[in-house]
Amino acid sequence: KWRSCHFVILHGFMNSPYFIYYFRRKFCVNNVLVRIKNIEISNFKNTKRGYVDLENKKSQFRSSLLALYGQNGSGKTSLINALELLKNILTGQKIDNSFLDDINVDSESLELKFTFEVKDIEKKKLYNIFYEVNLTKQEEETTENVINGGSIKTTIKPLICNEKLSYSYSDQEGNKKKENYTCRYFFW
């Protein structure tokens, strides 16, 4: 259940009062169930592209049990680390530089895509939320005491970019509605 709205506020949209107001009004209620339907990761560690469908196909059951099973190097830890990165982004925590090590050595950035299903039990509405984000390396040069023969120091920091959020739902007449939000860059 979402009891606190900071979970759905995305980094790039924090300065948008409309966005914050809208999602607080829509999703900050006590009788809401949230599930991750699927996860897609690209260029994450040794996983060039991976897709996991977590949707419960047996709708008569209210809960699901998830177990990850696979050979060594098949991406189990990458999936867990991707979920940790998602948690850090959506809760507004600082993205640690250690996540930069998760970018595939042959790539400039990693990409995460998540689909959530949000059920509002009181209003009997079902929302599908799609969230996509890229993490890349941002070089930053700083000068240290150049007058006295100092040096220029280059540091690498995480950069959240191409952040996209969209959601869809059906209104009371059965018409499908969809809205999109996009943020190009967010610096740490």
Side-chain angles (χ1 to χ4, degrees), residues 88-122:
N88 287 355
I89 292 171
L90 293 181
T91 58
Q93 295 178 24
K94 185 177 185 218
I95 305 300
D96 192 82
N97 284 1
S98 64
F99 282 108
L100 295 175
D101 296 335
D102 293 335
I103 299 173
N104 186 288
V105 295
D106 297 330
S107 302
E108 296 292 320
S109 66
L110 61 84
E111 180 180 45
L112 304 175
K113 295 180 182 180
F114 296 89
T115 303
F116 300 92
E117 181 180 83
V118 178
K119 290 182 182 179
D120 185 336
I121 296 170
E122 286 180 2

Side-chain angles (χ1 to χ4, degrees), residues 19-74:
F19 181 83
I20 295 168
Y21 168 77
Y22 187 80
F23 275 90
R24 281 186 180 165
R25 191 175 52 125
K26 284 284 188 188
F27 299 117
C28 291
V29 293
N30 290 330
N31 293 318
V32 173
L33 299 174
V34 179
R35 285 182 177 247
I36 298 176
K37 287 176 68 174
N38 58 57
I39 303 168
E40 185 177 339
I41 59 176
S42 300
N43 301 319
F44 202 100
K45 291 188 175 185
N46 66 338
T47 306
K48 289 298 266 178
R49 186 181 175 284
Y51 179 84
V52 178
D53 185 2
L54 301 171
E55 191 170 2
N56 186 353
K57 306 290 188 211
K58 299 177 182 179
S59 60
Q60 69 268 23
F61 297 110
R62 290 189 173 177
S63 62
S64 299
L65 178 65
L66 174 68
L68 294 177
Y69 174 80
Q71 295 179 344
N72 290 343
S74 64

Side-chain angles (χ1 to χ4, degrees), residues 18 22 33 71 94 144 157 171 173 177 180-181:
Y18 173 76
Y22 187 80
L33 299 174
Q71 295 179 344
K94 185 177 185 218
E144 295 181 356
K157 294 185 174 185
D171 63 14
E173 290 84 34
K177 306 276 184 174
N180 300 302
Y181 299 92

